[in-house]
Amino acid sequence: MLRVAVALAWQKKRVGGMRMPSTAARAVHALKDENCPILISPSLVSLDLPDVWASNPNPHDFPSAHKCCHATWCSGVLADCTANEQNAAIIDGKSMAEEIMSRIAFEVKRMKESIGKVPGLAVIMVGQRRDSQTYVRNKIKACEEAGIKSMMTELPDNCKEDEVLNALSRFNEDPSVHGILVQLPLPQHLDEAKILDVLSLEKDVDGFHPVNMGNLALRGREPLFIPCTPKGCIELLIRSGVEIMGKRAVVIGRSNIVGLPTSLLLQRHHATVSIIHAFTKNPEQITCEADIVITAAGVPNLVRGNWLKPGAIVIDVGTNPIEDPSCEHGYRLRGDVFYEEAVRVASLITPVPGGVGPMTIAMLLSNTLDSAKHAYDFT
Amino acid sequence: MLRVAVALAWQKKRVGGMRMPSTAARAVHALKDENCPILISPSLVSLDLPDVWASNPNPHDFPSAHKCCHATWCSGVLADCTANEQNAAIIDGKSMAEEIMSRIAFEVKRMKESIGKVPGLAVIMVGQRRDSQTYVRNKIKACEEAGIKSMMTELPDNCKEDEVLNALSRFNEDPSVHGILVQLPLPQHLDEAKILDVLSLEKDVDGFHPVNMGNLALRGREPLFIPCTPKGCIELLIRSGVEIMGKRAVVIGRSNIVGLPTSLLLQRHHATVSIIHAFTKNPEQITCEADIVITAAGVPNLVRGNWLKPGAIVIDVGTNPIEDPSCEHGYRLRGDVFYEEAVRVASLITPVPGGVGPMTIAMLLSNTLDSAKHAYDFT
C-alpha cells in the first residue's frame, strides 16, 4: 500500500485545482520532483483488497427498511438539465498530458545522458485511413517532442499478412525498439488476432495482447502494460481528485481496445461497474445511476443530459468527426456526450477534443519509457 | 451463426421442461443423438455481433418521455416475497449434468473403441483442506464413471514450490494427460500465479491461465477452455430456455475463478452485466434490477428475497457449509441465496446442492474430453 500512499500524497501536493500550471512552471516542478512517479495511478496489485462481505448470521433477521428503489432524483433530471445553468468543472486533459509529457521528456534526457540510450517506438500502419493517419502523426510528433526515437513501417491497404508479420518480427528483434504499435483497425483481410499474438509481450505498449488483457482482468496479477486510453481515463480521474473505490461506474461501449479494458481497470480500482453496449435495453436507466460515466461508443451525442445523474463525473472517449464546412478540414470532432446538456448536469467532464485524446498519447509514451527502462535496467 | 442455429434447434428438440428424462432414457437419447453437440452453449466467436448503436442524428430532438427511473415494482417486493407463495421453477442441475455425463461417457467409449485411447485428467492437490478434498473426490469419481483416466499428486501443506512445479512439469509432458487441475486455493506460501503460468495452455481445462482468460474477455477470440463453473452456469441457462442476449445480469462476487469469468462470459452472450463485490454500496439496489442473478460471493443467505426482481432467474454458485449437528457430517450446505425467500420471487432458481455443483464437474469432464479429442485429432 506504500506506493498508493506516496502517490496520493503526491497528488494532494500537486493537484490544486482542475487546471495545471503553465508548461514552464511544470517543467521546473518536474525537475524538483524527480523522485515522484510520473503517473499517479498506482500499480494494480497494490490495490488488491480481500472481499470481506458483511455476512448475515441470522437469515430470519429481515432488514427493517426496504431500500430497493434507489432514488427519486432521476425523474427530476430533465428539469435540472434544462434549468440549471451551472457548468461542470472541466477536466483539462491537454494540460495534464503536457505535464506528464514534460516529465517523460526529462526522464528520456536523463536516460540518454546516463547510458547513451533512448526509448524507441515502432509503428506499423496498414492502409491510408484518414483517422489512423492523424492518430499516428500525433503519436510520432509526441515522440519527437519527448526525445523518443520513432520508426514507422507503412504498408499498402492490400498487403499480405506475411508482410505485416515480417515487419513485426523485425521490430520484435530490434533491441532499440521498446514499444510496437500496430495501428488498428487493420483491413478486413488481415487476421488481427494472429498479428497481435506475434507481437512481443515485452513490447506490447498498447496492452492488447491476450496475456496482458488476462493479467489486467485477474486480481493478484499485473499486466506488463495497461492499454493507453483506459490508463489515461484513470489518470484523469485520480488527478482530478476522484475517489473511484465504491463508486458506481458505467462504461458505455465494449470494444477490445477501450470499453473492455476500461471496465476491467475500473474493477481493479474497486468501482462497481456496469457495461453498456448496443444490445442494452434502456441504457439511460443504468447510466443515470452512475457516479462515473466513461463512454467509448463512437456515437456522437449518444449520452444526453437526462442520461446523467446530477453531479456525475463524465469521461468522454468518443472522437467522432461531424461534417462541418466552416471548419478547416471540413469536419469537427464531437464526443459521445451531448456536451452542452451534460455540462449542466455533471460535476466534472472532459471536453472533446482536449480531454482523453492527449492523455492517451501521454500514456503510450509513458508505457514506452517504462519498457525501455526495464530493457536497460535503468531506474 | 450456423452452430448457434444447430445448437438452438437441438435445444428446442431436447429441452421440453425443467426436468430431464431418467438416466436410462437419456442414455438411449444420447446414443440416438450422437451427431448433436454434448453441450448446447455455442462457440464464443460465433456469438460475436457488431455493436450497431441507434444514433441520434438530431441532437436537439429530446426524447419526449424521460424513462430514467425504471419501475415502481421494487417497493412492492418485500410484500410479494412474504405474500406470494408460488414457487419458482427449479433448475435441476443434477439431472442436466447427468445427461451431459452420459453423453461424455458415450464419447469416451467411442474414442477407446476407435483409437484405443481415453482422455486423462491429472489433479494436483496441496494440503488437506476438507472442502478441497471433497471437491477432488467428486471430480475423480466422475472421471471413473465416464471412463476418463484420472491421476493425482498429493503434496503436503508445507511442500516447496519446486515440488508443485515439478509435478506440473511431469503432467505437462505426459501425453496421456489432457487436462491438469491444480486444486485451489493453494497454501499462502505458494505463488499461485507462477504455478498456473507453468501449466500447459493446451491442458488448462480449468481455463484459469491468463491467455485463456484474456481470450475469454476479447471479442473475436476463443479461449481453448472456458472456466468450468461459468460455463456450467451458461449451459444451465440455455438448457432452461433462457435468452441471455439483452438481459440485465448481475454477478455477485468477482473471484478469478467464478465471478470474473462469469461476467466476461455473460458479456460475450450480450447480456448487460453489472459486477457486485464487497465494496459495492447498496448491492440490493443493483441486484433488484437484474433479469439474471448469478451469485458467487461465498456468503450464506446474502441474497434476500427483496434483493430480487419478481420473475428473476437466479443461479446460486455458493456452497457454504453451515454447522448443523443433525446432519451426517455435522454441517449442511447453503447457497449465497436465501432460498426460501427467493423461491417466492424468482421465476427460475438453482438449488444448493444439486444446482451448479454437478454442472461444474460435468464441464470439467467436457473440457478434458475436448482436449483429448484435439490431442488425438479425433472427431
Side-chain angles (χ1 to χ4, degrees):
Chain A
M1 297 301 290
L2 181 63
R3 197 164 157 190
V4 184
V6 169
L8 291 177
W10 186 68
Q11 179 190 0
K12 276 189 185 168
K13 194 172 144 201
R14 308 276 323 257
V15 184
M18 278 308 101
R19 289 177 187 274
M20 296 282 120
S22 73
T23 311
R26 279 199 310 276
V28 174
H29 232 97
L31 291 170
K32 282 185 188 161
D33 280 329
E34 63 188 60
N35 291 325
C36 295
I38 295 177
L39 305 185
I40 297 178
S41 317
S43 78
L44 297 184
V45 168
S46 75
L47 290 172
D48 284 347
L49 292 170
D51 269 328
V52 183
W53 293 79
S55 184
N56 187 356
N58 180 1
H60 294 285
D61 175 23
F62 231 101
S64 57
H66 181 73
K67 295 177 183 171
C68 196
C69 209
H70 46 85
T72 52
W73 54 257
C74 254
S75 55
V77 172
L78 182 55
D80 282 341
C81 151
T82 49
N84 182 0
E85 294 298 327
Q86 191 170 359
N87 280 6
I90 311 304
I91 299 179
D92 187 352
K94 188 161 176 280
S95 179
M96 288 184 193
E98 278 172 8
E99 203 265 347
I100 291 167
M101 297 281 276
S102 74
R103 299 281 312 267
I104 292 173
F106 176 79
E107 283 294 285
V108 171
K109 189 163 170 279
R110 191 170 69 84
M111 180 184 265
K112 191 175 183 181
E113 287 169 359
S114 300
I115 58 169
K117 307 277 189 188
V118 295
L121 177 70
V123 180
I124 295 175
M125 163 105 177
V126 184
Q128 303 207 306
R129 281 178 64 113
R130 200 172 62 173
D131 55 348
S132 291
Q133 284 177 323
T134 306
Y135 294 143
V136 167
R137 196 168 47 238
N138 290 342
K139 288 168 187 173
I140 286 177
K141 186 163 163 271
C143 279
E144 282 168 9
E145 285 171 9
I148 291 175
K149 182 181 143 199
S150 63
M151 289 142 275
M152 180 144 140
T153 294
E154 283 181 280
L155 293 165
D157 196 60
N158 61 351
C159 74
K160 289 184 185 153
E161 203 162 88
D162 276 353
E163 293 178 75
V164 185
L165 294 174
N166 288 340
L168 205 43
S169 296
R170 277 196 300 276
F171 287 139
N172 274 345
E173 285 156 25
D174 185 340
S176 75
V177 171
H178 308 99
I180 304 172
L181 187 155
V182 179
Q183 186 65 36
L184 301 179
L186 291 169
Q188 284 287 329
H189 71 285
L190 298 174
D191 185 341
E192 182 182 304
K194 186 176 167 191
I195 290 166
L196 291 181
D197 279 350
V198 169
L199 206 158
S200 161
L201 255 190
E202 286 71 29
K203 301 186 180 185
D204 176 34
V205 286
D206 259 342
F208 297 156
H209 195 287
V211 173
N212 277 324
M213 204 61 83
N215 283 329
L216 175 63
L218 288 159
R219 287 206 290 169
R221 289 175 178 262
E222 190 93 35
L224 288 173
F225 303 102
I226 296 171
C228 302
T229 302
K231 189 175 180 177
C233 292
I234 297 292
E235 186 75 17
L236 285 173
L237 289 172
I238 298 178
R239 282 180 181 251
S240 304
V242 175
E243 171 74 61
I244 302 171
M245 181 188 287
K247 292 287 194 305
R248 281 198 66 179
V250 160
V251 177
I252 305 178
R254 52 172 178 169
S255 67
N256 286 347
I257 61 176
V258 184
L260 169 70
T262 300
S263 67
L264 297 173
L265 191 53
L266 282 166
Q267 278 192 75
R268 291 292 295 264
H269 281 262
H270 310 291
T272 300
V273 182
S274 303
I275 303 104
I276 283 176
H277 46 76
F279 297 89
T280 299
K281 291 169 190 156
N282 305 324
E284 67 280 8
Q285 284 181 7
I286 307 170
T287 308
C288 77
E289 292 167 8
D291 305 302
I292 299 168
V293 176
I294 301 187
T295 172
V299 181
N301 303 311
L302 178 73
V303 179
R304 308 295 301 257
N306 65 344
W307 282 40
L308 300 172
K309 173 172 161 178
I313 294 149
V314 180
I315 307 287
D316 190 352
V317 180
T319 44
N320 310 293
I322 302 280
E323 274 189 41
D324 187 342
S326 69
C327 291
E328 191 189 356
H329 300 289
Y331 69 95
R332 60 192 166 87
L333 291 182
R334 184 91 196 166
D336 289 351
V337 177
F338 192 158
Y339 187 81
E340 295 76 8
E341 287 178 8
V343 82
R344 296 178 188 152
V345 187
S347 64
L348 266 175
I349 191 167
T350 56
V352 175
V356 177
M359 208 58 162
T360 294
I361 295 181
M363 294 303 111
L364 175 67
L365 269 53
S366 169
N367 280 351
T368 306
L369 171 64
D370 287 349
S371 180
K373 281 186 168 183
H374 183 260
Y376 296 131
D377 199 14
F378 178 77
T379 50
Chain B
M1 294 301 292
L2 182 63
R3 196 163 158 189
V4 184
V6 169
L8 290 178
W10 186 68
Q11 179 190 359
K12 276 188 185 168
K13 193 173 143 199
R14 308 279 322 256
V15 184
M18 276 310 100
R19 289 179 185 275
M20 296 282 120
S22 72
T23 311
R26 278 198 310 276
V28 174
H29 233 98
L31 291 170
K32 282 184 188 162
D33 281 328
E34 63 188 60
N35 291 326
C36 295
I38 296 178
L39 306 186
I40 296 178
S41 317
S43 79
L44 297 184
V45 168
S46 75
L47 290 172
D48 285 345
L49 292 169
D51 268 328
V52 182
W53 293 79
S55 185
N56 187 357
N58 181 1
H60 295 283
D61 176 24
F62 231 101
S64 58
H66 181 76
K67 294 177 183 170
C68 195
C69 209
H70 47 86
T72 52
W73 55 257
C74 254
S75 55
V77 174
L78 182 56
D80 282 342
C81 149
T82 50
N84 181 0
E85 294 299 327
Q86 190 170 356
N87 280 6
I90 312 303
I91 299 178
D92 187 352
K94 189 162 176 281
S95 178
M96 290 184 191
E98 278 172 8
E99 203 265 348
I100 292 167
M101 297 281 278
S102 75
R103 298 280 314 264
I104 292 173
F106 175 79
E107 282 295 285
V108 170
K109 190 163 169 279
R110 191 170 68 84
M111 180 184 266
K112 191 175 181 178
E113 287 168 359
S114 301
I115 58 169
K117 308 275 189 189
V118 295
L121 177 71
V123 180
I124 295 176
M125 162 104 178
V126 183
Q128 303 207 306
R129 281 178 64 114
R130 203 173 58 174
D131 55 348
S132 291
Q133 284 176 324
T134 306
Y135 294 142
V136 167
R137 197 167 46 239
N138 290 342
K139 289 168 187 173
I140 286 177
K141 187 164 161 271
C143 279
E144 282 168 11
E145 286 172 8
I148 291 176
K149 181 181 145 199
S150 64
M151 290 141 273
M152 179 144 140
T153 293
E154 283 182 279
L155 292 164
D157 195 61
N158 61 352
C159 74
K160 288 183 184 153
E161 203 162 86
D162 276 352
E163 293 178 75
V164 185
L165 294 174
N166 289 340
L168 205 43
S169 295
R170 276 196 300 277
F171 288 139
N172 274 346
E173 286 157 25
D174 185 340
S176 75
V177 171
H178 308 99
I180 305 172
L181 185 155
V182 179
Q183 186 64 36
L184 302 179
L186 291 168
Q188 283 287 329
H189 71 286
L190 298 173
D191 185 341
E192 182 182 304
K194 185 176 166 190
I195 290 165
L196 292 182
D197 278 350
V198 169
L199 205 158
S200 162
L201 256 190
E202 285 71 29
K203 301 186 180 187
D204 176 36
V205 285
D206 259 342
F208 297 156
H209 194 288
V211 172
N212 277 323
M213 203 62 82
N215 283 330
L216 175 63
L218 288 159
R219 286 205 290 168
R221 288 174 177 262
E222 191 92 35
L224 288 173
F225 303 102
I226 297 171
C228 302
T229 302
K231 189 175 179 176
C233 291
I234 297 293
E235 187 74 17
L236 285 173
L237 289 173
I238 297 179
R239 282 181 181 251
S240 303
V242 175
E243 171 72 61
I244 302 171
M245 181 187 289
K247 292 287 194 306
R248 281 199 65 179
V250 160
V251 177
I252 305 179
R254 53 170 178 170
S255 67
N256 286 347
I257 60 178
V258 184
L260 169 71
T262 300
S263 67
L264 297 173
L265 192 52
L266 282 166
Q267 277 191 76
R268 292 292 294 264
H269 281 262
H270 310 293
T272 299
V273 182
S274 302
I275 304 105
I276 283 176
H277 47 75
F279 296 90
T280 299
K281 291 168 190 158
N282 306 323
E284 67 280 8
Q285 283 182 5
I286 306 170
T287 308
C288 78
E289 294 167 6
D291 305 302
I292 300 168
V293 176
I294 301 187
T295 173
V299 181
N301 303 310
L302 178 73
V303 179
R304 307 297 302 259
N306 64 343
W307 282 40
L308 300 172
K309 172 173 163 177
I313 294 149
V314 180
I315 306 287
D316 191 352
V317 179
T319 45
N320 311 292
I322 302 281
E323 274 189 40
D324 187 343
S326 70
C327 293
E328 191 189 355
H329 299 289
Y331 70 94
R332 60 193 166 86
L333 290 182
R334 183 93 195 163
D336 289 351
V337 177
F338 192 158
Y339 187 82
E340 295 75 8
E341 288 177 8
V343 83
R344 296 179 187 153
V345 188
S347 64
L348 266 174
I349 191 167
T350 56
V352 175
V356 177
M359 207 58 161
T360 294
I361 295 180
M363 294 303 111
L364 175 67
L365 269 54
S366 168
N367 280 351
T368 306
L369 171 64
D370 286 348
S371 180
K373 281 185 169 184
H374 183 259
Y376 296 130
D377 199 14
F378 178 79
T379 49

